[in-house]
Amino acid sequence: FGQEVFSSHNWVEFVPERSHRWVASGYGTRNSLTQSGGDDYVTAAYTPDSKLLMAYIPTGNAIAVDLRRFPGEVEVKWFDLTNGVYSRLGRFPNSSVRQFAIPGNHGDSDRDWVFIADSPHP
């Protein structure tokens, strides 16, 4: 089911979010060669025009997203990888850092989701 959400974007243009400027908290522990862990690390990327942020939330932790990085109002939704369904949260002003929690467990009891924040109009 994830094919639709991933194939609808040009991934070559995405910028990896490593600085935690977009996903300000809740990003988990980064895996490295010298440190174990990383199963909860949120992998995120954004477009160079700052209009789209996508983040894979592997273990269901809540994240704080800096909506001020977007050029205009932000539409936020969750994508369920198990059934291909979007859960829309609504539109938010680009004026603050805001906390977002996953909608819950999937039918298979997993807690991984894709977070999508889009600002199509500046």
Side-chain angles (χ1 to χ4, degrees), residues 37-86:
D39 293 342
D40 66 342
Y41 190 70
V42 173
T43 303
Y46 57 93
T47 55
D49 63 5
S50 300
K51 291 184 176 183
L52 177 65
L53 170 71
M54 296 182 76
Y56 174 66
I57 316 298
T59 59
N61 43 315
I63 58 172
V65 176
D66 190 347
L67 300 179
R68 299 172 296 188
R69 300 211 159 268
F70 292 90
E73 188 176 56
V74 184
E75 181 179 336
V76 176
K77 56 191 168 188
W78 290 100
F79 181 73
D80 183 340
L81 293 163
T82 64
N83 62 16
V85 173
Y86 291 94

